[in-house]
Amino acid sequence: MAAHITVNGDRFVEMISERRIKTAVKRLARKIDRDHRGTVPVFIGILNGAFIFFADLIREVTIDCEVDFLKLSSYGDAKISSGNVRLLKDLNCQVEGRDIIIVEDIVDTGLSVEYIRHLIAPQNPRSLKVVTLLFKADSVKPGTHVDYIGFSIPSDFVIGYGLDYAQRDRNLKAVYRLHAKAPREKAGA
Ligand code: PRP
């Protein structure tokens, strides 16, 4: 039976185990290796959420690479996106002529990816790709392009493996989803 945890009084159930995450990270790294052989891409981690996935992914990648980070915020402490992406830390690397791989923990509405593309594309990278561990196919804005996806998931609120609940629980080893609240029983039923 899948593990349950309680966070801030809310019940969460394990959605993606540590073992399945490890397998997916290896699969994604192998694809990225194949597609970037002979190049030295720059992996750009989107802080904070991507930090664990980023660290695991680049250790599975075998080609030469560089790293940099962008820090964005769209959720604050809320469970749904504010719809307003803010840049909290810009890049330090030169983008022009480089193969750029954006590393996201989750693509939900797709607004962050869209924001990043608008930030990076005008700096003339040689190529620009996006890898995400989690992809919410039902919530994402139509036309949002992601090149590498670990798991397509329903639009549940998820935490763990870098994803937070009001900044906590990023250190959980698996991904957990908010457990559907039990329907209220009708009186006399
Ligand atoms: C989360 C996540 C992605 C973004 C995805 O970041 O890490 O960057 O939201 O959502 P979107 O597709 O709707 O834009 P958040 O703003 O929660 O900041 P955090 O990474 O510091 O947790």
Side-chain angles (χ1 to χ4, degrees):
M1 206 178 93
H4 284 75
I5 54 170
T6 301
V7 178
N8 291 346
D10 286 331
R11 295 250 299 160
F12 286 79
V13 63
E14 188 179 286
M15 177 189 249
I16 308 171
S17 68
E18 189 182 356
R19 186 180 54 76
R20 288 181 65 209
I21 293 172
K22 279 192 174 144
T23 305
V25 169
K26 284 187 177 150
R27 171 175 56 81
L28 292 169
R30 277 199 304 270
K31 270 194 180 174
I32 291 171
D33 269 349
R34 270 203 306 271
D35 293 353
H36 294 82
R37 200 147 286 146
T39 72
V40 182
V42 187
F43 285 83
I44 296 180
I46 310 304
L47 299 171
N48 291 336
F51 76 113
I52 292 179
F53 174 48
F54 184 93
D56 285 349
L57 181 70
I58 65 156
R59 282 179 295 175
E60 292 295 337
V61 162
T62 61
I63 52 170
D64 282 339
C65 61
E66 296 175 17
V67 305
D68 199 357
F69 297 92
L70 274 175
K71 187 169 162 81
L72 302 183
S73 180
S74 63
Y75 279 69
D77 287 346
K79 287 202 190 77
I80 55 165
S81 170
S82 66
N84 180 21
V85 181
R86 289 181 305 136
L87 179 64
L88 304 180
K89 182 214 165 287
D90 207 342
L91 293 175
N92 294 109
C93 67
Q94 281 287 111
V95 165
E96 188 162 359
R98 302 300 305 270
D99 295 287
I100 303 293
I101 303 174
I102 303 299
V103 182
E104 269 285 24
D105 50 324
I106 186 165
V107 173
D108 185 341
T109 62
L111 289 175
S112 299
V113 163
E114 186 177 73
Y115 181 96
I116 295 162
R117 283 191 189 280
H118 282 116
L119 185 76
I120 291 183
Q123 300 176 48
N124 300 318
R126 193 162 83 115
S127 66
L128 178 54
K129 293 202 169 148
V130 177
V131 52
T132 185
L133 181 73
L134 306 174
F135 182 80
K136 285 191 179 175
D138 297 336
S139 332
V140 77
K141 215 175 136 190
T144 305
H145 180 69
V146 173
D147 300 274
Y148 308 98
I149 293 173
F151 299 93
S152 256
I153 60 168
S155 296
D156 298 304
F157 178 65
V158 285
I159 61 169
Y161 197 70
L163 291 102
D164 70 305
Y165 186 2
Q167 300 309 324
R168 298 200 184 167
D169 305 295
R170 295 189 194 271
N171 54 329
L172 293 167
K173 289 182 175 150
V175 171
Y176 293 79
R177 68 171 170 79
L178 186 59
H179 199 271
K181 290 199 175 16
R184 284 164 71 104
E185 283 182 14
K186 283 186 196 152

